[in-house]
């Protein structure tokens, strides 16, 4: 059946793939594995967990099942309600909790949901711990009884503590800036606009009326059209867009042009370097980052370390090398001095602070790099597990790389969260990138089809 955990926890169609029974079982297994992985904190009489969710309707019953599973395993649970993923990571760390759990399918459409866990310190789990949780799923164990069962505590103050943390990380106030904030009808719908207001910005809010069904629907980082319209219509300096669980951020400059994750990382890396706080003068990015960004960083004296796709792998490299900034083209940006995971609201604040402190427009700041034309095609209905080993597919990749002859690159990878193969091509022209990507996508569909 393959591995249950993907690059960002367990995810699928709620009440079909991700059921209440699964959430309960995973929570019990996670409690056992993560509590056993380290001694219970001296701050608490018994294990403690922090639980949060995004506003999807299915999160109501999945969150209840998760809380029930943890409490049944003898864990005291602090239920923070609807908050961004990075808020749960932050609270897990600052409360010295033994684990954290977040119910979200991030940027996926409303019918999906998922569950991801954090270990003590607010870190995403390595593969070995996820595999251990899966191995313990539905395993018999000695259940606590009586006074040993966990207790459940509402934790409404978690949002205010997270806002305070974000404001404490802000290097420059935002007075004088008019910013459109698009919350994707998601987890940051309350805390996102509020922290920008408290930071001094004039805030225009869109996509911040979640009803349980409209998350990511036409708004947020995967649907930037509404943000582009709002920035231009309101004469804003720029706009930022989060995804459903607000662990990523993309932006739109004052002219309505998109500023992607690579540009955001380049802007923030230069800011940190100028302030002398970019550790090792190094930025960590994934293999999906645009070559234009890498060349721009090299020109500015900043090294770029590349990892596999997924912010967890970026974080692992950052921790290994003690680097301070990393992220993905999709908008997951990790500022390790302030958080343990991608944080869309923090990213937007840091970007806004750079605009305010420099006196330059976001468009001008983003021009530090020129994006090489890039085409990404998602190929569905194929055996994604064979993409790295199929002779015909790999021969087509080698031929494409030879044809580009150093003027671009090719990357085929299986998605860690969806049943697709991603074909990415960069070339010296958009037409060439399109042609090569279309050809390779046709090869993948023909050779790996499971229809």
């Amino acid at each position: 059946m393959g591995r249950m955990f993907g690059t960002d926890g367990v995810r699928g169609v709620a009440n079909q793939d991700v059921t209440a029974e699964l959430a309960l079982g995973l929570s019990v297994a996670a409690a056992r594995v993560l509590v056993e992985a380290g001694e219970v904190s001296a701050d608490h009489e018994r294990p403690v967990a922090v639980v949060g969710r995004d506003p999807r309707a299915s999160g109501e019953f999945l969150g209840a099942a998760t809380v029930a599973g943890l409490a049944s395993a003898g864990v005291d649970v602090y239920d923070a309600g609807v908050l961004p993923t990075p808020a749960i990571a932050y609270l897990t760390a600052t409360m010295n909790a033994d684990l954290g759990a977040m119910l979200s399918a991030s940027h996926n459409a409303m019918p999906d949901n998922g569950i991801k866990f954090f270990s003590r310190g607010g870190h995403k789990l390595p593969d070995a711990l996820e595999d251990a949780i899966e191995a313990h799923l539905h395993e018999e164990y000695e259940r606590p009884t009586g006074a040993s069962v966990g207790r459940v505590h509402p934790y409404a103050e978690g949002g205010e503590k997270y806002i305070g943390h974000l404001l404490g990380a802000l290097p420059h106030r935002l007075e004088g800036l008019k910013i459109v904030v698009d919350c994707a009808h998601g987890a940051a719908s309350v805390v996102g606009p509020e922290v920008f207001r408290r930071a001094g910005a004039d805030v225009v809010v869109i996509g911040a009326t979640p009803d349980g069904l409209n998350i990511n629907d036409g708004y947020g980082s995967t649907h930037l059209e509404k943000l582009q319209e709002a920035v231009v219509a309101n004469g804003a300096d720029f706009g930022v867009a989060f995804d459903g669980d607000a662990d990523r951020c993309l932006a739109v400059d004052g002219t309505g042009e998109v500023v992607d994750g690579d540009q955001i990382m380049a802007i923030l890396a230069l800011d940190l370097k100028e302030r002398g706080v970019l550790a090792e003068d190094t930025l960590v990015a994934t293999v999906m980052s645009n070559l234009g960004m890498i060349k721009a960083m090299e020109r500015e004296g900043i090294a770029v370390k590349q990892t596999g796709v997924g912010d967890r792998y970026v974080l692992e490299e950052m921790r290994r090398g003690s680097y301070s900034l990393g992220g993905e083209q999709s908008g997951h940006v990790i500022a390790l001095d302030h958080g343990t995971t991608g944080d869309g609201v923090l990213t937007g604040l840091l970007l806004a602070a750079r605009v305010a402190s420099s006196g330059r427009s976001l468009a001008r700041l983003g021009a530090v790099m020129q994006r090489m034309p890039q085409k990404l095609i998602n190929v569905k209905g194929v055996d994604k597990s064979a993409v790295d080993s199929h002779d015909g597919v790999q021969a087509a990749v080698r031929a494409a790389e030879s044809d580009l002859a150093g003027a671009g690159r090719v990357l085929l990878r299986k998605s860690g969260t969806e049943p697709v193969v991603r074909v990415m091509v960069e070339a010296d022209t958009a037409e060439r990138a399109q042609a090569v990507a279309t050809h390779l996508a046709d090869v993948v569909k023909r050779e790996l089809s499971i229809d």
Side-chain angles (χ1 to χ4, degrees), residues 54-56 106 108-110 184-187 212-217 244-245:
D54 72 24
R56 293 166 208 265
S106 189
N108 286 25
M110 182 277 296
H185 296 306
L213 307 178
N214 61 357
I215 189 168
N216 299 316
D217 186 8
D245 68 337

Side-chain angles (χ1 to χ4, degrees), residues 46 72 74 142-150:
R46 55 186 167 196
S72 76
E142 186 176 347
R143 297 171 181 267
T145 59
S148 295
V149 300

Side-chain angles (χ1 to χ4, degrees), residues 167-248:
L167 291 172
L170 194 66
H172 194 283
R173 296 279 299 174
L174 308 184
E175 277 84 5
L177 291 181
K178 187 173 187 178
I179 303 170
V180 181
V181 177
D182 179 353
C183 300
H185 296 306
S189 293
V190 174
V191 298
E194 179 63 18
V195 74
F196 274 86
R197 290 190 191 101
R198 293 195 200 178
D202 178 5
V203 181
V204 177
V205 184
I206 64 173
T209 54
D211 61 9
L213 307 178
N214 61 357
I215 189 168
N216 299 316
D217 186 8
Y219 288 84
S221 62
T222 53
H223 304 280
L224 293 173
E225 298 82 8
K226 294 282 201 317
L227 180 61
Q228 291 171 300
E229 293 171 4
V231 167
V232 173
N234 287 277
D237 292 285
F238 63 95
V240 294
F242 314 128
D243 63 338
D245 68 337
D247 66 351
R248 71 171 72 181

Side-chain angles (χ1 to χ4, degrees), residues 114 135 157 163 186 226 275 287 383 387 432:
E157 60 265 43
I163 289 174
K226 294 282 201 317
R275 293 194 278 127
V287 293
D383 179 9
V387 67
R432 194 175 187 189

